[in-house]
Structures are given as structure tokens and as C-alpha cells.
Amino acid sequence: MTLQEKLSLNKKDGQALLATNFYNFETLAAVLGAAKEENSALILQLSESSLSYMGVDIASKLAKAAIEQFGVQAWLHMDHGSDVNLVKKCLDAGFDSVMIDASEKPFEENVKITSEIVRYAEQFGANVEAELGYVAKLGQDQKMVYTQPNEAKAFVEQTGINALAVAVGSAHGFYTKTPELQLDLIQEINEATTAALVLHGSSGIPHDQVQEAIKRGITKVNLATEIKNIFMKKLQTVLADSDEIDLRKVFPKATDEAKALVTEKLRMINFK
């Protein structure tokens, strides 16, 4: 089953997939280990910075080998691709899905750039995600400029994307105050467009809000910041009380913490 087929089913059935970023083998093992134990499908995501760190080909082969080893239904996705050439390189490398993010451009330019990737992805049968509205990135002002249903409808129709990341009250990174998702707006956008809706910046959003958002039309929930944070916090704690230099003995403790987090999030997503 392709990712776009799975997301389409999710939209129809009121369900969602967890999409988790990974940064190295340890966080990849944490994510897939949790999915295996929960018997849950999920999406593995790589940001531009992670791809720069690991390399596109190594990251792709590592993810696919791990998916096979863990025996989990999973898809590989490039998250927040702002470089058109890098997005195309990921598709060439066999990614199941890519996100082209031109959301900070004017509407017409966003349509033009996104449409180019949609056309390129057709030869691979890959899923394409784009963003409309303002979802604050790390370091940006967490102001709220919401996606509008009529613009979402026009954007999806003009680009042909499969999935749309919407601005409905979330932001990337940790929140300065408890977020309040615009649940009615999610439902309105879902009814206005054929695209699967994506919630970015789920770290720190109360579980009941996420679950209600899924009921209203969110089909993919992204998780990144909390994975990095819990892995590094545990690693720092372990190293503070140890002179151990064998990373094979130290890393598993942090991996277990990240795995427990992803398990919790999978149970939140798979509440039905």
C-alpha cells in the first residue's frame, strides 16, 4: 500500500498515522521498536539537516534496512524540503514521500514550486505534502496565521498534492503556553479539500486535543522535538554519573527512553 493510499483511508475512517523524525540509528531503532511492539504502522521522517548530517543515500538505505529488520509497515518521508533539488534527490533515492515547503512564499509562487514537485513525483508514484499558512518553525514567533478553507481548496486543486500541512494552532518546538488547536477549522478544511490533512508541531499538545483533531480530519501527526529532547536529556543524565566510554553501553539507555515516548504517542494516535 502506498502512503497516499493509507492517508486516503485515514481521511475516510477518521484515523491517523504518527510521523516521527529520526536522527541516527539509535532514534531509528527507538521508533521502529515501539511500532513493532504496538503492531502499528508509522512514517519515518528526515529533515534537511538530518539529510545533510547522514547523506541522502545512507539515510535512505539505513531506514529501509531497519524497516525490513523490524518487520514494521512504514514509509520514508522527507520533512520540510525547501530545496527543490534536494527534494528531487530524495525521490530519486526511493523515498516514499516528500514535503515541499514553500509556505513562506506568496500563494502563487507556493503553487508553482509545489506543482513542479508533484509532477516530478508522479514517475515514482510518491506521496507529496505541502504547507499552507503559517506554522512557526524553530526560533520563529509563535504567532497564529491560520489556513483558510477556501485557500486550501484552491491550493489542492491547483497543485494536485496528496497531503496538506495546515496552520491550525500548532508550532514547531516547545510551546511558551499550552496551544489550542482550532478544531472547527480543521473540520472545515477537511470538508473543503480532498487532501489528507497534516498536523505539524505536535510536541507538547495535550493528547485530548490531538485525538479530537484526528476525529475532525487530521490524518498524519508529526513528532520530532520531543524525541530529540528525551534522548539527549537521558544521555546527559547517564554521562553525568558515569565514566563509561563504550557508546554501545550508553546509547541503549537513551534509546529506551525515546522508545517509551513513541509508544505513548502511538497509543495516543491509535485510540480507536
Side-chain angles (χ1 to χ4, degrees):
M1 179 182 291
T2 65
L3 179 55
Q4 52 269 43
E5 289 171 342
K6 179 63 174 177
L7 292 176
S8 181
L9 285 175
N10 283 354
K11 184 179 178 76
K12 178 182 177 183
D13 297 337
Q15 297 180 328
L17 282 172
L18 185 65
T20 57
N21 285 51
F22 71 94
Y23 308 91
N24 54 12
F25 172 74
E26 286 72 28
T27 47
L28 176 60
V31 168
L32 290 176
K36 183 177 180 66
E37 288 189 3
E38 291 297 307
N39 193 28
S40 177
L42 53 64
I43 300 168
L44 296 173
Q45 300 196 146
L46 287 157
S47 64
E48 286 188 337
S49 56
S50 292
L51 290 168
S52 176
Y53 176 68
M54 285 188 271
V56 171
D57 290 335
I58 290 175
S60 174
K61 290 174 182 177
L62 175 64
K64 292 189 175 185
I67 289 170
E68 183 176 356
Q69 179 176 320
F70 279 85
V72 172
Q73 183 181 30
W75 298 267
L76 182 59
H77 173 76
M78 180 199 185
D79 190 31
H80 285 288
S82 59
D83 182 338
V84 168
N85 290 327
L86 182 57
V87 173
K88 290 180 178 179
K89 187 174 182 180
C90 287
L91 288 166
D92 292 338
F95 277 56
D96 303 296
S97 175
V98 293
M99 178 188 183
I100 177 66
D101 185 2
S103 59
E104 296 184 12
K105 306 285 187 183
F107 182 88
E108 294 77 10
E109 191 172 354
N110 192 353
V111 167
K112 181 180 178 181
I113 294 170
T114 301
S115 297
E116 178 183 349
I117 295 302
V118 170
R119 289 192 297 270
Y120 192 83
E122 286 176 355
Q123 63 188 301
F124 303 101
N127 180 73
V128 178
E129 177 183 334
E131 185 174 307
L132 189 64
Y134 178 83
V135 182
K137 296 178 175 63
L138 289 172
Q140 290 183 330
D141 181 13
Q142 291 187 355
K143 63 183 180 181
M144 297 300 165
V145 180
Y146 302 127
T147 304
Q148 296 304 310
N150 60 331
E151 286 191 345
K153 182 176 186 295
F155 186 77
V156 171
E157 290 176 350
Q158 291 178 42
T159 60
I161 56 169
N162 309 105
L164 179 66
V166 289
V168 290
S170 62
H172 296 93
F174 288 115
Y175 293 94
T176 55
K177 60 180 181 179
T178 302
E180 293 185 10
L181 296 181
Q182 303 300 299
L183 299 170
D184 289 342
L185 179 58
I186 292 171
Q187 185 170 338
E188 290 172 15
I189 298 171
N190 187 49
E191 292 172 353
T193 177
T194 57
L197 302 187
V198 182
L199 179 67
H200 282 237
S202 76
S203 294
I205 298 178
H207 288 192
D208 60 337
Q209 285 194 43
V210 175
Q211 291 175 337
E212 187 61 31
I214 293 170
K215 293 177 184 177
R216 302 289 188 103
I218 291 295
T219 63
K220 174 176 177 274
V221 177
N222 286 16
L223 178 71
T225 301
E226 284 186 89
I227 294 176
K228 285 188 293 187
N229 181 67
I230 201 167
F231 185 90
M232 290 305 299
K233 292 293 185 185
K234 182 62 176 182
L235 199 57
Q236 289 163 0
T237 300
V238 171
L239 291 174
D241 299 322
S242 172
D243 294 325
E244 179 62 66
I245 65 168
D246 190 339
L247 53 84
R248 295 165 299 182
K249 295 180 180 178
V250 174
F251 278 172
K253 297 177 182 179
T255 299
D256 288 344
E257 287 288 301
K259 180 181 174 183
L261 169 71
V262 175
T263 298
E264 174 192 340
K265 298 296 183 177
L266 284 170
R267 291 173 180 173
M268 170 189 70
I269 294 287
N270 300 321
F271 63 96
K272 287 191 174 183

